[in-house]
């Protein structure tokens, strides 16, 4: 069977070779890179602009950004017909192609995140090493920990005030460089679509900007949601532990700290949400007003065939409802959670409507293609480009986040940052 | 004894020092210098389709599938023929254009009903038809090929004679070229899983032969020629008669020319 045939249903006249070649994994790719970029921007709000209230979530979102990073590449590898040759992009980059710079942009960004995390955690790492070294008798696990942390410290054991001050400056600079690079990483994903002149829905110079705004929105939303869920779990654990150790913070203390962080983060979320919606609507209005050749078919896709996905799921449930939820007075944790989950769904639908919607019509403008998401994987291809492949991509960052926080805990660290 | 800082410093200087002479290999690329010195080559293949002559028999599609080992039953094809049926404007009904290309016209058009894909077959009465014609399609071997531009690894390239080809050993299968082509001529090879397209029978042209589809066409609707040769009959037609190209607005400068082009052609 030809690639794409399993999930494409053609209507009227479609060129014989046309199928939905870019399917669910290409929806996942901008969604995941968006989360990476957004999480990083959120952490930078504290490190660069000194938004003190975000201190708690800044460390959290920085580590989350690291956990998401490898996963931004995963959908691309799952999508490639020749995944083993993926490295060719780095070996022989053909720079007229928007994809060619991916390796460079991605690794630059990866290095920035990794080094920023190193600076943020240096004090913790060194202290752990000292503590473990001081122990006269070490268990096997502790010896292993010592080896790991010694390696992570890279031999920089200086914890003097001057050294710590230098660390802080380095963090500020890295976070500062990181913001444009994160925006570039994602704006660049938008450029990959926006520059395809053969696709009437994709081709717009607004695409990179729209992608950046929705990326930040989704990244912040994910951080809020994960933060709230992690805090709930912590409350449960503390409740149990407090019986033996009454010095731990009480549930009320945790709660008040949590709602403060969430309220201020939501403010930034709403700000970027407004920007994202404005740009998306501008694009839509501009298209309908200029009504060039492709508008006839685009109109039937946007207002008829994809109406539910665009206006109900994306704009309605994904933008409008959370907007109301967030702006209503006396925000509660539960409402913030529901709102951010809806925002995440809305941004996912936006990616879906761009990627799949852009292939919902034939380049002949005389026919349509319908996408049927493969559910049960009966072959490797149907796994990769189906529901389970997408779920793999969604679950992996959480597993990675869990693993990373075993080494670099995000809560309960006392430091100057 | 060298300390760490000095080691890093020296390593960077050395790496830089090695890189500079290596870049000369790129600056003085011999084949590139040769190409630039000679200017444009003597051959630029172009294709000419005479829409007045095509009857939609599908021999070209068959010949292409056999010559280029394109899977016979796979629903992809390097070249295909479209059928256009334009109906008369009836009271209360606008004139409409129906298009189809069942199996890429591999078996010709064996029924008068129009294939509407999942919408079934559309029966149009002969008296309702105002005009009908066939349009063969193939890769346009554009002068400014978007597929070559977007390939992230340079696996798609243009030969000196203007033919756009794919390196099957280097293609990563990202599909960007497939999405970048406004004409829908590209697809994934069902077995090799790399981008696949019309090669203008480059292997035949290089041996002085014509493409398989040109040889197979019983009516002379398809012709291939060298636009740089003023004596070439194809060049003469293109330069002296009213020809058109597909989707000129994309700026791809397509090199497949159509005689008898109609505005309904997509």
């Amino acid at each position: 069977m030809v690639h794409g045939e399993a999930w494409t249903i053609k209507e009227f006249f479609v060129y014989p070779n046309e199928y939905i070649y870019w399917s669910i994994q290409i929806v996942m790719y901008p969604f995941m890179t968006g989360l990476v970029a957004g999480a990083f921007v959120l952490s930078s709000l504290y490190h660069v602009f000194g938004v003190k209230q975000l201190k708690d979530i800044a460390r959290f979102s920085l580590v989350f950004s690291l956990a998401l990073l490898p996963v931004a590449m995963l959908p691309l590898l799952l999508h490639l017909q020749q995944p083993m040759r993926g490295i060719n992009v780095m070996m022989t980059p053909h720079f007229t192609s928007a994809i060619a710079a991916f390796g460079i942009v991605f690794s630059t960004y990866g290095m920035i995140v990794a080094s920023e995390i190193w600076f943020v955690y240096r004090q913790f790492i060194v202290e752990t090493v000292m503590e473990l070294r001081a122990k006269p008798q070490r268990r096997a696990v502790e010896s292993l920990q010592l080896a790991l942390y010694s390696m992570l410290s890279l031999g920089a054991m200086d914890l003097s005030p001057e050294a710590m001050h230098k660390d802080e400056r380095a963090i500020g600079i890295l976070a500062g460089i990181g913001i444009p690079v994160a925006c570039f990483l994602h704006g660049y994903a938008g450029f990959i679509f926006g520059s395809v002149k053969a696709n009437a829905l994709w081709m717009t110079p607004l695409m990179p900007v729209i992608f950046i705004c929705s990326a930040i929105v989704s990244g912040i939303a994910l951080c809020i949601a994960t933060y709230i869920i992690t805090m709930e779990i912590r409350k449960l654990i503390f409740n149990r532990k407090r019986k033996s150790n009454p010095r731990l913070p009480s549930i009320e203390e945790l709660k008040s700290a949590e709602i403060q962080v969430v309220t201020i983060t939501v403010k930034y979320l709403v700000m970027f949400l407004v920007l994202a919606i404005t740009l998306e609507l501008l694009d839509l209005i501009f298209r309908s007003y200029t009504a060039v050749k492709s508008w006839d078919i685009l109109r039937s896709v946007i207002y008829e065939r994809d109406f539910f996905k665009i206006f109900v799921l994306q704009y309605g449930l994904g933008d409008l409802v959370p907007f109301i939820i967030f702006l209503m007075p006396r925000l509660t944790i539960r409402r913030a959670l529901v709102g951010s989950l809806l925002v995440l769904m809305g941004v996912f639908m936006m990616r879906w409507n761009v990627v799949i919607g852009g292939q919902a019509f034939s380049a002949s403008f005389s026919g349509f293609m319908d996408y049927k998401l493969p559910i049960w994987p009966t072959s490797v291809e149907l796994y990769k480009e189906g529901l389970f492949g997408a779920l793999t991509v969604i679950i992996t960052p959480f597993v990675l986040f869990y693993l990373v926080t075993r080494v670099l805990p995000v809560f309960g660290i006392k430091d100057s940052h | 004894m060298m300390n760490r800082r000095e080691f890093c410093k020296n390593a960077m200087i050395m790496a830089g020092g090695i890189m500079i002479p290596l870049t000369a290999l790129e600056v003085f690329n011999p084949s590139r210098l040769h190409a630039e010195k000679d200017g444009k080559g003597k051959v630029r293949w172009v294709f000419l389709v005479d829409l007045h002559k095509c009857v939609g028999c599908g021999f070209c599609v068959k010949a292409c599938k056999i010559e280029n080992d394109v899977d016979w039953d796979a629903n992809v094809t390097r070249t295909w023929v479209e059928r256009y049926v334009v109906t008369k404007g009836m009271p209360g009904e606008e004139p409409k254009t129906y298009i189809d290309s069942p199996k890429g016209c591999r078996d010709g058009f064996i029924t008068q009903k129009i294939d509407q894909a999942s919408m079934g077959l559309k029966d149009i009465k002969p008296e309702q038809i105002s005009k009908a014609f066939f349009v063969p399609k193939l890769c346009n071997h554009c002068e400014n090929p978007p597929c070559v531009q977007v390939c992230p690894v340079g696996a798609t390239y243009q030969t000196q004679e203007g033919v756009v080809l794919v390196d099957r050993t280097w293609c990563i299968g990202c599909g960007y070229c497939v999405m970048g082509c406004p004409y829908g001529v590209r697809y994934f090879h069902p077995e090799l899983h790399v981008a696949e397209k019309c090669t203008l029978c480059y292997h035949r042209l290089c041996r002085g032969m014509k493409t398989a589809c040109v040889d197979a066409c019983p009516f002379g609707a398809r012709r291939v020629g060298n636009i740089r040769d003023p004596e070439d009959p194809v060049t003469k037609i293109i330069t002296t008669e009213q020809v058109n190209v597909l989707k000129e607005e994309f700026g791809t400068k397509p090199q497949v020319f159509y005689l008898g082009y109609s505005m309904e052609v997509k």
Side-chain angles (χ1 to χ4, degrees), chain A residues 114-134:
Chain A
S115 36
E116 188 180 334
I117 286 185
W118 185 75
F119 279 112
V120 169
Y121 275 96
R122 203 178 69 86
Q123 188 187 0
F124 169 76
I125 293 168
V126 173
E127 277 169 359
T128 316
V129 171
M130 301 287 195
E131 199 179 303
L132 286 170
R133 268 188 196 164

Side-chain angles (χ1 to χ4, degrees), chain A residues 11 18 21 31 63 66 74 76 89 92 109 122 152 212 220 260 271 301 308 336-337 369 373 387:
Chain A
E11 273 176 50
E18 267 187 306
Y21 287 104
F31 186 62
V63 174
L66 180 75
L74 191 62
L76 289 183
V89 178
T92 56
Y109 179 69
R122 203 178 69 86
L152 285 177
I212 290 171
I220 297 179
Q260 242 185 346
M271 221 167 69
V301 167
F308 182 74
L337 180 65
M369 284 186 284
L373 178 72
L387 179 69

Side-chain angles (χ1 to χ4, degrees), chain B residues 126-189:
Chain B
E127 59 269 23
Q128 287 180 317
I129 299 171
S130 68
K131 64 174 168 180
F133 49 88
F134 300 99
V135 180
K137 294 264 182 89
L138 67 157
C139 171
N140 286 278
H141 296 281
C142 306
E143 194 56 42
N144 179 24
C147 53
V148 173
Q149 183 191 23
V150 299
C151 178
V153 294
T156 281
Y157 59 98
Q158 197 170 24
T159 70
Q160 275 190 331
E161 301 91 339
V163 179
V164 177
L165 299 175
V166 180
D167 182 349
R168 286 176 172 174
T169 64
W170 206 250
C171 171
I172 60 171
C174 65
Y176 207 16
C177 58
V178 183
M179 304 312 298
C181 174
Y183 307 100
V185 302
R186 283 174 170 255
Y187 57 92
F188 280 121
H189 194 290

Side-chain angles (χ1 to χ4, degrees), chain A residues 343-356:
Chain A
V343 165
L344 276 175
M345 186 277 300
V347 174
F348 179 81
M349 281 320 291
M350 180 257 173
R351 310 293 190 222
W352 179 287
N353 292 331
V354 168
V355 176
I356 306 290

Side-chain angles (χ1 to χ4, degrees), chain A residues 5 10-12 15-17 19 21-22 79 81-82 85 88 92 94 96-97 192 197 293 363-364 366, chain B residues 75 77 116-118 148-153 168 170-174 176 185 187 192-193 247 249-250 266:
Chain A
E5 211 175 355
K10 296 182 176 186
E11 273 176 50
F12 305 111
Y15 292 133
N17 296 333
Y19 292 98
Y21 287 104
W22 282 6
H79 157 76
Q81 289 283 290
Q82 298 283 350
R85 295 184 192 163
N88 288 10
T92 56
H94 185 237
T96 56
S97 166
I192 290 178
K197 60 181 169 188
K293 192 177 164 189
S364 67
S366 303
Chain B
N75 287 320
T77 174
Q116 301 282 281
S118 62
V148 173
Q149 183 191 23
V150 299
C151 178
V153 294
R168 286 176 172 174
W170 206 250
C171 171
I172 60 171
C174 65
Y176 207 16
V185 302
Y187 57 92
L192 300 172
H193 304 293
K247 301 189 181 180
E249 68 273 17
F250 286 102
K266 303 289 182 192

